Amino acid sequence: MTGGLRRLGRLASERAADRVVPPAGHTAWLTTFTAGAMVFLAVFALALSLAAGRLADRWSDALARTATIRVSAPADQLDLQARAVLDVLSTTPGIESARAMTDAEQRALLEPWFGPDLPVDTLPLPRLIAVTEDAEGYDAEGLRQRLAAEAPGAVLDDHGRWREPLVAAAGRLRTLGLLAILLIGGAMAAMITLAANASLASNAQVIRVLRLVGARDAYIARAFVRRFTLRALAGAAAGLAAGLAAVLVLPGGGDSVLTGLRFERAEWLWPFVLPPLAGLVAFVATRMAALATLRGLT
């Protein structure tokens, strides 16, 4: 990659070779538009991947050190068993804090499912106890056995069955974003290759004349590579600007992938890697296409 970037910089200073390639034609706007569109999409794919990673970390951190104990018992025994559970938790190593949720907190938990008018006071809801573990953690199986002996109606939920699928889904979404960036790069390479082949084929007579006056294939190929690489860089820069502007106007501050589809802090530096990568892809694709086409011309 370092060698390709070094060649990319050398091509930027060889202005004399520009006269070999006609400045106009459909391949000019096709290359610029393709690079711009692909980088624009890559910005969103990168934002999606980073947002999914942040969401996975947030979900994992939020659920990793918490647990819930559900106490189900007849109304006349509910408070007694809840106190028994709190007593057990107070003497359990690894438990940082534990408290019984209020009716208002339980109503808030159920509101997204049943609406704001849920009559909590008239329903036989279990008592929920929120548990937070310390850095060392606790013995979940041992706690379950103690709860079974002291409070038979208590059930420990360590959120594992909720955390693992959510984190796995967010991780797969992050991988999908990275895969999308690779596919975008491959599609851009294919389109630029087609444009370079079309330009080389349409200038076959010019290439033959250049060979007659002593121009080597390496010089001719370098001229095409420089022109297409600079077009791709220009399009990529425009696509980057448009992509960043679009990300800026997206809603933020939520706790989902869509509302968090933006960059945070140092993540804003990552999109600026895309234009050089687009230029490198254009350089490699055009060089391979040019050398292959020149070998086929007689």
Side-chain angles (χ1 to χ4, degrees), residues 59-81:
W59 283 342
S60 181
D61 293 341
L63 297 176
R65 297 184 56 216
T66 61
T68 302
I69 295 178
R70 184 178 70 253
V71 181
S72 300
D76 58 341
Q77 299 181 17
L78 189 60
D79 291 337
L80 182 62
Q81 291 211 23

Side-chain angles (χ1 to χ4, degrees), residues 247-258:
V247 169
L248 282 173
V249 301
L250 288 175
D255 194 24
S256 68
V257 173
L258 294 179

Side-chain angles (χ1 to χ4, degrees), residues 4-277:
L5 290 175
R6 190 180 298 113
R7 293 180 181 179
L8 202 62
R10 187 165 61 247
L11 286 174
S13 63
E14 297 178 356
R15 297 183 178 275
D18 276 355
R19 292 189 293 269
V20 176
V21 186
H26 67 280
T27 58
W29 67 263
L30 178 61
T31 303
T32 304
F33 174 78
T34 299
M38 293 303 175
V39 169
F40 179 82
L41 296 176
V43 169
F44 283 95
L46 182 61
L48 173 66
S49 180
L50 293 174
R54 289 195 305 270
L55 192 61
D57 294 339
R58 189 179 304 123
W59 283 342
S60 181
D61 293 341
L63 297 176
R65 297 184 56 216
T66 61
T68 302
I69 295 178
R70 184 178 70 253
V71 181
S72 300
D76 58 341
Q77 299 181 17
L78 189 60
D79 291 337
L80 182 62
Q81 291 211 23
R83 284 195 297 270
V85 169
L86 291 173
D87 291 339
V88 170
L89 294 174
S90 65
T91 59
T92 300
I95 300 297
E96 182 177 288
S97 63
R99 65 179 184 85
M101 292 186 179
T102 63
D103 291 342
E105 289 175 321
Q106 294 193 192
R107 184 183 293 109
L109 290 175
L110 297 174
E111 184 174 327
W113 306 96
F114 300 102
D117 300 325
L118 180 68
V120 176
D121 297 335
T122 61
L123 293 177
L125 295 178
R127 183 65 53 84
L128 298 181
I129 297 177
V131 180
T132 303
E133 65 179 86
D134 58 20
E136 297 180 359
Y138 62 93
D139 180 9
E141 186 59 34
L143 179 58
R144 286 189 175 93
Q145 293 178 4
R146 292 186 63 192
L147 290 174
E150 300 292 337
V155 178
L156 173 65
D157 182 4
D158 61 1
H159 298 165
R161 61 174 180 171
W162 303 100
R163 181 177 67 251
E164 294 174 3
L166 290 175
V167 173
R172 292 189 184 114
L173 194 59
R174 175 170 48 188
T175 303
L176 182 62
L178 296 176
L179 180 61
I181 294 176
L182 294 178
L183 292 176
I184 288 170
M188 184 177 69
M191 292 296 294
I192 292 177
T193 299
L194 292 175
N197 285 332
S199 181
L200 288 162
S202 63
N203 291 282
Q205 294 298 330
V206 175
I207 292 173
R208 292 189 178 95
V209 171
L210 289 171
R211 282 173 168 175
L212 288 176
V213 298
R216 295 181 177 273
D217 285 354
Y219 174 82
I220 300 172
R222 191 160 57 246
F224 280 91
V225 170
R226 181 180 189 277
R227 175 61 61 86
F228 277 85
T229 301
L230 293 180
R231 288 170 180 169
L233 283 172
L240 174 65
L244 291 178
V247 169
L248 282 173
V249 301
L250 288 175
D255 194 24
S256 68
V257 173
L258 294 179
T259 56
L261 195 62
R262 57 195 306 111
F263 302 103
E264 295 183 358
R265 296 183 292 276
E267 291 177 354
W268 285 98
L269 298 176
W270 282 108
F272 291 93
V273 178
L274 296 175
L277 286 178

